[in-house]
Amino acid sequence: MNAPVSTTKGILKTVSLTAVIFLTVSGGPYGLEPLTQFVGKNGALLLLLLVPLLWDLPAILTVLELNSMMPINGGYYKWVDRGLGKRWAFYEAWWSWLYSFTDLAIYPVLFVTYVSFFYPALLAWKIPICLAVIWGCAGLNILGIVPVGRVSLFLSAVIIIPFLILFGIALLNTNNHFSIPAPSLKGIGFSGIGMALYTIMWNFLGWDNTTTYAGEVNKPVRSYLISTFTAFVLVIVLYLVTTYITVNSGIDFKELSDGGFPIMGVKFAGQWLGILLSIGGMASALGIFSAVMLSISRVPKEMAEDKMLPKVLGKLHPRFNTPYLSILITAAIVSLMALWTFTELIVIDVILYGAGLSLEFTSLVRLRMKEPDAPRPFKIPLNAFGLCLMTILPVAIYGIALTGVLSKPDGNNTVVYFALIALLTAEIGWQLIRWQERRALALGKND
């Protein structure tokens, strides 16, 4: 049976959707700073060109096809349910929820990094500042998707404008000599390559998250097609130009990794540009947090309706019609996750996200075989076998990154093992659901 296609006129327009997608997936080059430290100037641009093609394009095409079949709230959860059944749908939603907790925890930490450019002493107040960011963004999400969309447009401008100024000053100054470094990973350790891959993958993940509120988007199939490709091109251009300037700047890569892009702004134009880039970094952290929370808060409601989570999680706010309890619970869990470091959170984040993405790839192939004639306004021009070959590319990148991190010289892989154990909790959750169903059935028979 085909899932219903949303025909209701949504309330989020294409321009706002582009801003929300941009913030969900990227939020600007902020967070890309460690890349040059891991693989140097010769490896940074090389990986930044290759990884999006191998990791992102298959994911984007998968998202566009499946979302065109089912442009409804719940997104990836509904795709996997239709393609693989309830058990794997639960896995998908559970892993995505766990990944989102980790992902959300990254941005308050980044916010503290950029606000400390003004007052370094504020690093000592990391936890209170993180909590203020978390609960402030939770409040914005409770107000609804339209306020999030409007704020996303404003924050996107605040993020992009300082980088455009940086690009202009750096590239138009005739005293600066720029060249493209010879692409090479020679001399780079496998663990360094692994961490570089995680950094790039993290800076490009989340395309599927943007579909969980498709039922609230105006003309969803068309809007997602335009907005997704617009956001992808914008992200690629921002990342490549920023990295090109970085590798030619002569800046110490470790200093950049620790202090962020404001340091490069000071180098090229002085304190004023450093301040603008710091404000952009703060805007990026706030915008991504709000956008990601918007996406993940819709999934528990759909699961609650399928009796996979307590019904109370599907409860909507009486005034704003938003899943406010889901938002509040997410904020509470993220408040605890903010205790991890930035690098640790990235590793956990990508491991959990990659596992869920593999189920989406599997659902894509399965639905092509199971429902070949189902309406697909956007269809990848490949048969089932071609789709299998396409999905091997991101899976291979995922495997290389994981192997690289596990080969670290210090042998400290606690965060990797934590993430792998977190994946196993999905089966525990599923068994609890089955036990509850059997118990309810038994009580019904006794009555």
Side-chain angles (χ1 to χ4, degrees):
M1 180 179 176
N2 292 347
V5 173
S6 174
T7 56
T8 305
K9 185 176 180 180
I11 54 177
L12 194 65
K13 308 298 183 183
T14 303
V15 175
S16 295
L17 179 63
T18 302
V20 174
I21 292 176
F22 171 72
L23 288 174
T24 302
V25 174
S26 168
Y30 299 104
L32 202 62
E33 294 96 330
L35 176 61
T36 46
Q37 184 185 2
F38 292 134
V39 291
K41 65 179 183 179
N42 297 94
L45 281 171
L46 173 63
L47 291 182
L48 203 52
L49 283 168
L50 290 178
V51 174
L53 297 177
L54 303 177
W55 168 256
D56 273 85
L57 277 184
I60 289 172
L61 294 173
T62 297
V63 166
L64 289 174
E65 176 166 324
L66 292 175
N67 189 61
S68 75
M69 287 180 70
M70 293 166 276
I72 52 178
N73 280 8
Y76 47 77
Y77 168 70
K78 293 294 188 182
W79 308 338
V80 178
D81 183 15
R82 182 165 163 182
L84 304 177
K86 289 294 181 189
R87 182 177 195 159
W88 292 110
F90 176 81
Y91 269 54
E92 170 74 8
W94 185 265
W95 288 343
S96 297
W97 214 12
L98 292 180
Y99 131 71
S100 295
F101 293 151
T102 309
D103 196 51
L104 285 168
I106 291 173
Y107 306 112
V109 175
L110 276 178
F111 183 89
V112 174
T113 298
Y114 290 109
V115 78
S116 66
F117 178 81
F118 300 100
Y119 304 105
L122 288 176
L123 287 172
W125 294 82
K126 172 186 171 183
I127 300 303
I129 296 173
C130 284
L131 292 176
V133 170
I134 292 167
W135 290 97
C137 291
L140 176 64
N141 266 265
I142 289 174
L143 294 178
I145 193 169
V146 171
V148 173
R150 289 172 179 167
V151 170
S152 295
L153 275 172
F154 170 74
L155 292 177
S156 295
V158 175
I159 293 164
I160 293 171
I161 288 172
F163 277 100
L164 294 180
I165 296 172
L166 174 65
F167 297 164
I169 291 174
L171 297 175
L172 296 178
N173 189 337
T174 56
N175 294 324
N176 296 325
H177 301 287
F178 289 90
S179 62
I180 299 176
S184 173
L185 294 175
K186 185 177 180 180
I188 306 297
F190 197 37
S191 62
I193 294 174
M195 285 307 304
L197 289 175
Y198 270 117
T199 301
I200 297 174
M201 291 161 74
W202 173 72
N203 275 278
F204 276 100
L205 58 78
W207 302 101
D208 52 347
N209 278 352
T210 65
T211 62
T212 60
Y213 41 81
E216 301 170 64
V217 173
N218 185 46
K219 299 179 181 177
V221 175
R222 177 180 178 276
S223 294
Y224 273 99
L225 185 62
I226 295 172
S227 298
T228 299
F229 277 113
T230 302
F232 180 67
V233 171
L234 179 60
V235 172
I236 283 284
V237 171
L238 278 174
Y239 285 6
L240 285 175
V241 178
T242 302
T243 304
Y244 175 68
I245 292 174
T246 299
V247 299
N248 282 282
S249 67
I251 197 168
D252 181 85
F253 294 150
K254 186 180 187 310
E255 183 184 3
L256 177 67
S257 179
D258 293 339
F261 286 119
I263 293 175
M264 200 160 70
V266 172
K267 177 179 176 61
F268 278 104
Q271 190 74 9
W272 67 271
L273 186 53
I275 290 173
L276 284 182
L277 286 164
S278 293
I279 293 172
M282 294 157 60
S284 175
L286 292 174
I288 300 173
F289 191 99
S290 292
V292 173
M293 180 170 273
L294 172 68
S295 68
I296 195 58
S297 65
R298 269 51 180 177
V299 177
K301 178 180 180 295
E302 302 299 323
M303 295 177 70
E305 290 178 357
D306 289 343
K307 300 180 180 178
M308 289 189 176
L309 287 176
K311 188 180 293 186
V312 68
L313 287 177
K315 190 175 180 181
L316 299 179
H317 193 281
R319 179 179 176 185
F320 303 114
N321 202 37
T322 52
Y324 70 102
L325 289 178
S326 172
I327 293 169
L328 294 176
I329 291 171
T330 299
I333 296 174
V334 172
S335 298
L336 298 175
M337 293 294 294
L339 298 172
W340 292 86
T341 67
F342 176 70
T343 304
E344 290 169 337
L345 288 168
I346 283 181
V347 173
I348 298 170
D349 196 7
V350 176
I351 290 175
L352 294 173
Y353 176 79
L357 187 62
S358 66
L359 290 180
E360 295 167 28
F361 289 146
T362 306
S363 299
L364 173 71
V365 177
R366 174 63 177 154
L367 285 169
R368 277 289 193 93
M369 299 170 66
K370 180 181 173 184
E371 303 178 33
D373 299 323
R376 292 172 173 85
F378 177 87
K379 186 176 182 179
I380 303 170
L382 296 171
N383 59 20
F385 179 72
L387 293 178
C388 290
L389 293 179
M390 181 191 78
T391 59
I392 287 174
L393 299 175
V395 172
I397 291 291
Y398 179 80
I400 292 170
L402 180 58
T403 305
V405 171
L406 286 171
S407 67
K408 285 193 304 180
D410 61 11
N412 184 4
N413 295 309
T414 303
V415 291
V416 176
Y417 299 140
F418 175 85
L420 295 176
I421 291 170
L423 291 176
L424 296 177
T425 61
E427 179 61 22
I428 297 173
W430 175 252
Q431 291 301 329
L432 285 174
I433 291 173
R434 295 302 304 273
W435 172 78
Q436 216 170 22
E437 289 175 348
R438 289 193 295 268
R439 184 169 177 269
L441 186 61
L443 289 173
K445 287 181 178 180
N446 291 335
D447 291 342

